[in-house]
Amino acid sequence: MDKQTITIYDVAREANVSMATVSRVVNGNPNVKPTTRKKVLEVIDRLDYRPNAVARGLASKKTTTVGVIIPDVSNTYFSSLARGIDDVATMYKYNIILANSDGNDQKEISVLNTLLAKQVDGIIFMGHHITEALRGEFSRSKTPIVLAGSIDEDKQVGSVNIDYEEATKDAVRLLAKNGNQKIAFVSGSLRDPINGQKRLKGYKDALKEANLTYTEGLVFESTYSYKEGIKLAERIKNSGATAAVVTDDEVAVGILNTLTDSGVKVPEDFELVTSNNSLLTEIARPQVSSITQPLYDVGAVSMRLLTKLMNKEEMEERTVVLPYGLAEKNSTK
Amino acid sequence: MDKQTITIYDVAREANVSMATVSRVVNGNPNVKPTTRKKVLEVIDRLDYRPNAVARGLASKKTTTVGVIIPDVSNTYFSSLARGIDDVATMYKYNIILANSDGNDQKEISVLNTLLAKQVDGIIFMGHHITEALRGEFSRSKTPIVLAGSIDEDKQVGSVNIDYEEATKDAVRLLAKNGNQKIAFVSGSLRDPINGQKRLKGYKDALKEANLTYTEGLVFESTYSYKEGIKLAERIKNSGATAAVVTDDEVAVGILNTLTDSGVKVPEDFELVTSNNSLLTEIARPQVSSITQPLYDVGAVSMRLLTKLMNKEEMEERTVVLPYGLAEKNSTK
DNA sequence: AAAATAAATTAAAACGGTTGCAAAATTTCC
DNA sequence: GGAAATTTTGCAACCGTTTTAATTTATTTT
């Protein structure tokens, strides 16, 4: 009953050659006489033969598939990276298996293992905090791995990021220059080294530079959501801060809208700089000044780097740092 | 040099059983004596054996992988669907290969073919307009396919959607009820049957119902982007419309912000209803009334439907229509 | 306790390709 | 025209599982 699938063997028979020759034709191997190639191609076309990628994968030990571990595709930050990843993957004839982890330590490990079981040729990992266990899995596996928009001290794997520390510093500098004495730092989990180490350090350093004192009371940790921003607004206002650097656009806009709705004038009474320069910053009124990150490129470059690792190409540096910018809009003076 | 991979054969040898028995243990086949099972599991654990999914796929003709064709992951509408798809996929032990098509006819076909070559067990397709060529590929392949948030007359494949026609009708009814005589219809490409057939029909029907006349001058076709909304605002205003149903939130907010910035009072002078109820509708000021669609669920249900098709379960209906709602916020009176 | 039945296990054939090596065919060179 | 060199081709092992049919072992039945 099954519309039986036609195999390389069928093609070989019809074309009066061996499977080996068909395989060579399919793989563009040059050691085939032009006339033979033509004959085989005709049969392939006539039978509408399509090589079974699974069988190929088994025989060649290459699946032309890479695994992508992502906290949440429906989050624009990550989906922008994902888009960059897929575009470059496609360019190099790879497909991506996309797996959401919710940034959950357990899921990250289990998903990593299923990806390895599926024999992906490489892995791109996006996450917040890399646990010791995960790091262990990373080094155990001989499959190349690249971190995209995620950092880890252990430089065993490749990674692509921007200089979060300097970027945050620039943002705080701007706020300090504008005369703010109390600048809040509103970030996601400080467990994420991007926040807890890089950005926080940038914040502290910039304060010091401006002769401002660091107080824990001005540091706010939150989850990434608009609602969280709304909740936070009151507390930030009460802290006496007159400005804030925020690491997430949703949170930033939540704060902005809440303050504005309660009569606070932005930027006159309160200044705000956020970090991802997403569409939200354009839509909000006033528009929100923001650090700009080349998200798509971070993804694209990660995948490019991964292709090099998969090809075992020699390379200078596997830790890439992309340039960032600062877009001054209307939430800063 | 290669940390050589350990195979089912190694486990068999170490455990003094045949590969077949190991295979049964791994697959939870009950026909294994408990003591044997235990012995094998110990060896598996000791050797840290992990079944090669590619070999399994070849032997069993099942890859526990489904292909997902998506116009653009970085678009929140689709990434919401994608998230629902992946969650249910994970629940049923499937992984997804995600491939962006940009809604491009050519890419859709080529991507479909590589997914089939990779022997995915099923496919979820999201797209705007299904060409004859694509439909041909669909029916040629015996791999189950489900359309998510996409429609096609040809009911050969499964699909999950909301009733776009009724939803649009409801939105227009609301605007008509509020006294608007000239209601604009701002949609994406009319080539997409969701717009060109369903929604447009709902729009026309509602107009008729309210004794309003349909004019082409009030129909605006645009691409889905904030910028496009900005451009459109002026034209819409000049059309004499005092209200609009918009099919995309970015476009809607673009229109809203532009009108507001130019002094038009919303909802007093102009009313607006959009269609996806994304975060943008909350962030914009005033907040935008919107049709509500269970995007995550559309994805989730699509995947659930696909699992049934992959299992060859008998079922009544493979065309699922999920409920929608209408959230009245501040862009309508 | 032998015969019949059921349960557990094994051997070996797929699954559909790739690839190293040897053989065959072709071309080159004197 | 024939040996040597080169290009094409085919053979067959291999990739790591699943799965069927056959065999062995254990359990019931009488």
Side-chain angles (χ1 to χ4, degrees):
Chain A
M1 203 92 283
D2 259 12
K3 177 200 303 177
Q4 71 164 39
T5 62
I6 57 134
T7 71
I8 197 173
Y9 183 76
D10 300 316
V11 176
R13 181 167 29 71
E14 290 286 314
N16 279 312
V17 296
S18 71
M19 312 167 37
T21 300
V22 178
S23 176
R24 289 196 189 93
V25 170
V26 168
N27 293 299
N29 184 315
N31 300 334
V32 181
K33 192 162 45 160
T35 58
T36 311
R37 180 190 310 283
K38 183 144 170 289
K39 183 173 57 174
V40 172
L41 285 175
E42 273 169 12
V43 175
I44 286 181
D45 197 50
R46 178 157 57 79
L47 300 188
D48 193 24
Y49 164 72
R50 291 178 206 173
N52 178 322
V54 174
R56 284 178 125 173
L58 180 58
S60 68
K61 291 172 171 266
K62 279 180 194 140
T63 54
T64 62
T65 301
V66 309
V68 176
I69 300 176
I70 191 171
D72 180 11
V73 237
S74 63
N75 175 131
T76 53
Y77 176 87
F78 292 114
S79 66
S80 301
L81 298 189
R83 185 62 215 256
I85 293 168
D86 189 47
D87 281 358
V88 173
T90 301
M91 208 173 290
Y92 286 87
K93 311 287 187 199
Y94 285 93
N95 284 107
I96 65 175
I97 295 188
L98 204 286
N100 292 94
S101 71
D102 285 315
N104 177 110
D105 300 348
Q106 288 296 315
K107 281 196 202 168
E108 286 175 347
I109 289 191
S110 95
V111 130
L112 174 62
N113 281 318
T114 66
L115 289 177
L116 292 176
K118 294 215 169 175
Q119 313 297 118
V120 293
D121 297 334
I123 287 181
I124 291 198
F125 181 91
M126 296 174 258
H128 301 294
H129 174 230
I130 294 173
T131 62
E132 202 48 62
L134 191 58
R135 201 172 288 126
E137 299 286 342
F138 280 175
S139 53
R140 174 177 359 229
S141 111
K142 54 184 294 81
T143 304
I145 298 178
V146 171
L147 307 181
S150 314
I151 61 179
D152 189 41
E153 294 312 302
D154 183 16
K155 297 279 176 71
Q156 291 311 299
V157 300
S159 74
V160 180
N161 288 283
I162 65 159
D163 187 337
Y164 305 104
E165 185 178 328
E166 275 303 318
T168 306
K169 217 176 197 171
D170 282 358
V172 176
R173 270 191 193 120
L174 170 63
L175 295 174
K177 193 194 64 176
N178 288 353
N180 294 285
Q181 300 284 316
K182 290 187 149 193
I183 302 171
F185 175 70
V186 183
S187 94
S189 169
L190 294 173
R191 185 160 162 267
D192 178 347
I194 290 183
N195 295 320
Q197 291 169 33
K198 305 295 182 183
R199 285 174 168 151
L200 187 56
K201 177 151 192 310
Y203 168 68
K204 287 180 178 172
D205 286 1
L207 288 186
K208 190 170 295 170
E209 209 179 272
N211 285 316
L212 297 177
T213 54
Y214 168 77
T215 346
E216 284 201 349
L218 287 175
V219 173
F220 299 85
E221 202 172 349
S222 86
T223 54
Y224 297 135
S225 83
Y226 181 64
K227 283 194 176 150
E228 199 65 24
I230 292 178
K231 283 190 202 158
L232 236 42
E234 186 73 10
R235 287 179 47 208
I236 294 173
K237 206 169 142 191
N238 291 340
S239 75
T242 60
V245 243
V246 185
T247 64
D248 181 76
D249 291 358
E250 282 195 31
V251 174
V253 176
I255 294 170
L256 172 67
N257 275 179
T258 308
L259 290 181
T260 304
D261 287 355
S262 73
V264 176
K265 293 262 176 278
V266 175
E268 295 79 0
D269 304 339
F270 196 93
E271 292 188 75
L272 204 59
V273 178
T274 183
S275 305
N276 299 334
N277 199 43
S278 65
L279 183 61
L280 301 191
T281 65
E282 292 298 315
I283 285 173
R285 286 295 123 91
Q287 292 171 154
V288 189
S289 298
S290 178
I291 290 164
T292 63
Q293 297 187 49
L295 298 183
Y296 177 92
D297 295 343
V298 169
V301 172
S302 299
M303 184 62 211
R304 179 65 184 101
L305 176 55
L306 186 62
T307 63
K308 288 183 184 164
L309 293 173
M310 292 187 296
N311 274 340
K312 301 197 194 315
E313 288 177 26
E314 290 304 321
M315 72 197 73
E316 345 60 72
E317 187 54 65
R318 46 180 64 186
T319 301
V320 180
V321 177
L322 261 29
Y324 63 88
L326 187 55
E328 299 190 33
K329 303 183 191 172
N330 307 324
S331 66
T332 46
K333 288 173 196 162
Chain B
M1 202 91 286
D2 259 11
K3 177 199 304 179
Q4 72 164 38
T5 63
I6 57 136
T7 73
I8 198 174
Y9 184 76
D10 299 315
V11 176
R13 181 167 30 69
E14 289 286 314
N16 277 311
V17 297
S18 72
M19 314 167 36
T21 298
V22 177
S23 176
R24 289 199 191 88
V25 170
V26 168
N27 293 298
N29 185 313
N31 300 334
V32 181
K33 197 164 38 164
T35 58
T36 312
R37 180 190 310 283
K38 184 146 169 287
K39 183 173 57 175
V40 172
L41 285 176
E42 273 169 12
V43 175
I44 286 181
D45 197 49
R46 177 156 58 78
L47 301 188
D48 192 24
Y49 163 71
R50 292 181 206 172
N52 178 322
V54 174
R56 285 178 123 173
L58 181 57
S60 69
K61 292 174 170 261
K62 280 179 193 141
T63 54
T64 62
T65 302
V66 308
V68 176
I69 301 175
I70 192 172
D72 180 10
V73 237
S74 63
N75 176 131
T76 54
Y77 176 86
F78 293 113
S79 65
S80 300
L81 298 190
R83 186 62 215 255
I85 293 168
D86 189 47
D87 281 359
V88 174
T90 301
M91 208 172 292
Y92 285 86
K93 312 287 186 198
Y94 284 93
N95 284 107
I96 65 175
I97 296 188
L98 204 288
N100 292 94
S101 70
D102 285 316
N104 176 109
D105 300 347
Q106 288 297 315
K107 280 197 202 168
E108 286 174 346
I109 289 191
S110 93
V111 130
L112 173 64
N113 281 318
T114 65
L115 289 177
L116 291 175
K118 293 215 170 174
Q119 313 297 118
V120 294
D121 297 334
I123 287 181
I124 292 198
F125 181 90
M126 295 174 259
H128 301 294
H129 173 230
I130 294 173
T131 63
E132 202 49 62
L134 192 58
R135 201 172 289 128
E137 299 286 342
F138 280 174
S139 53
R140 174 180 356 230
S141 111
K142 53 184 294 79
T143 304
I145 298 177
V146 171
L147 308 180
S150 314
I151 62 179
D152 189 40
E153 294 313 302
D154 183 17
K155 296 279 175 72
Q156 293 311 300
V157 300
S159 74
V160 180
N161 289 283
I162 65 159
D163 186 335
Y164 305 104
E165 185 178 327
E166 276 304 317
T168 307
K169 217 176 198 172
D170 281 359
V172 176
R173 270 191 193 120
L174 170 64
L175 295 174
K177 191 194 65 176
N178 288 353
N180 294 285
Q181 300 283 316
K182 290 189 150 194
I183 303 170
F185 175 70
V186 183
S187 93
S189 168
L190 293 173
R191 184 159 163 267
D192 178 346
I194 290 184
N195 295 321
Q197 292 170 31
K198 306 295 182 182
R199 284 172 168 153
L200 187 55
K201 176 150 193 309
Y203 169 68
K204 287 179 178 173
D205 287 1
L207 287 186
K208 189 170 298 172
E209 209 179 270
N211 286 315
L212 298 176
T213 54
Y214 166 78
T215 345
E216 284 201 351
L218 287 175
V219 173
F220 299 85
E221 202 172 349
S222 85
T223 54
Y224 296 137
S225 82
Y226 181 64
K227 283 193 177 150
E228 200 64 26
I230 292 177
K231 283 191 202 156
L232 236 42
E234 185 73 10
R235 287 179 48 208
I236 293 174
K237 206 167 142 191
N238 291 340
S239 74
T242 59
V245 244
V246 185
T247 64
D248 180 77
D249 291 358
E250 283 194 32
V251 174
V253 176
I255 294 170
L256 171 68
N257 275 179
T258 308
L259 290 181
T260 303
D261 288 356
S262 74
V264 176
K265 293 262 176 278
V266 175
E268 295 80 359
D269 304 340
F270 196 93
E271 293 188 75
L272 204 58
V273 177
T274 183
S275 304
N276 299 334
N277 198 43
S278 65
L279 183 62
L280 301 191
T281 65
E282 292 297 315
I283 285 173
R285 286 295 122 93
Q287 293 171 152
V288 189
S289 299
S290 177
I291 290 164
T292 63
Q293 297 188 47
L295 299 183
Y296 177 93
D297 295 343
V298 169
V301 171
S302 298
M303 184 62 211
R304 179 64 183 103
L305 175 56
L306 187 61
T307 62
K308 288 182 184 167
L309 293 173
M310 292 187 296
N311 274 340
K312 301 197 195 312
E313 289 178 25
E314 290 304 323
M315 73 196 73
E316 344 60 73
E317 186 55 65
R318 45 181 63 186
T319 301
V320 180
V321 177
L322 262 29
Y324 63 87
L326 187 56
E328 299 190 34
K329 304 184 190 170
N330 308 323
S331 67
T332 46
K333 288 174 195 161

